[in-house]
């Protein structure tokens, strides 16, 4: 059986490099994590969150799934957001998509892909509501436009969660950003859809009464 020994060798080399640069790095890291950022991104292996923004382990809390989708009934994602906001007290949530996303492409092509089609139904809903804009472009430009529209929709979904709105009601500083990454050149782009208060959420979706959360510790 292949034990992937080369990956363990890579790990040891990486750990030694870090300790050479900062002998107390792992000792400090193991004591507590205090990130200021939550990254909600795509599972695509070409989009490594820490490296893209030049941060070390412990500096960014991460949740990833296919096509960086935020669904209110996804307890995995919602639990990550709650832990990040209520326990870690992150100041920034970045929803980060990327151009050429395979999940986005699959939502557009009309083919059956199996179980993943259920997950991508959220993207198909965006295709319906934004059909005119999408119809105005073709080919890869249509894929990239839907990648951007998806990020904007997921920023709105994060902002409408009770977790985030309760934080704002408490007076906790919290910003939800929408970014997109280009695999072609390695650069991030801000889509200028940052939400920082309930006033930017549709009135019908606002939480108006503070809801205490269950105490959770690290």
């Amino acid at each position: 059986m292949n034990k992937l020994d080369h990956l363990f060798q890579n790990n040891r080399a990486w750990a030694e490099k870090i300790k050479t640069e900062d002998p107390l790095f792992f000792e400090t890291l193991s004591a507590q994590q205090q990130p200021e950022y939550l990254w909600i991104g795509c599972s695509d292996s070409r989009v490594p969150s820490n490296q893209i923004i030049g941060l070390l382990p412990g500096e960014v809390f991460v949740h990833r799934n296919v096509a960086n989708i935020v669904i209110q009934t996804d307890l995995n994602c919602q639990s990550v957001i709650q832990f990040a906001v209520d326990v870690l007290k992150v100041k920034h949530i970045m929803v980060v998509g990327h151009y050429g996303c395979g999940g986005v492409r699959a939502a557009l092509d009309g083919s059956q892909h199996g179980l993943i089609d259920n997950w991508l139904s959220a993207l198909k809903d965006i295709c319906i509501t934004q059909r005119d804009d999408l119809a105005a472009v073709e080919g890869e430009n249509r894929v990239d436009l839907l990648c951007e529209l998806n990020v904007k929709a997921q920023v709105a979904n994060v902002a409408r969660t009770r977790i985030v709105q309760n934080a704002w009601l408490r007076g906790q500083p919290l910003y939800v950003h929408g970014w997109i990454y280009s695999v072609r050149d390695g650069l991030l782009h801000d889509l200028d859809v940052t939400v920082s208060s309930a006033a930017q959420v549709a009135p019908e979706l606002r939480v108006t009464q503070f809801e205490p959360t269950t105490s959770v510790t690290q």
Side-chain angles (χ1 to χ4, degrees), residues 103-175:
V104 170
R105 196 184 304 279
L108 276 171
D109 69 14
S111 302
Q112 292 191 47
H113 302 279
L115 181 62
I116 190 66
D117 289 330
N118 296 287
W119 179 254
L120 297 179
S121 62
L123 276 171
K124 293 182 182 294
D125 289 342
I126 299 173
C127 291
I128 294 171
T129 59
Q130 304 292 330
R131 61 163 62 91
D132 292 341
D133 289 340
L134 290 168
V137 293
E138 298 180 351
E140 201 63 22
N141 289 333
R142 182 177 296 170
V143 174
D144 287 348
L145 175 58
L146 183 53
C147 289
E148 293 181 353
L149 293 172
N150 180 44
V151 169
K152 294 176 181 180
Q154 306 318 320
V155 167
N157 284 342
V158 172
R160 67 180 289 189
T161 63
R162 289 181 176 271
I163 301 161
V164 168
Q165 293 197 45
N166 275 323
W168 285 329
L169 286 172
R170 292 193 297 267
Q172 184 174 333
L174 183 61
Y175 300 83

Side-chain angles (χ1 to χ4, degrees), residues 1 21 69 76 79 141-142 177:
M1 181 176 67
E21 296 172 351
I69 293 173
N76 186 347
S79 296
N141 289 333
R142 182 177 296 170
H177 309 273

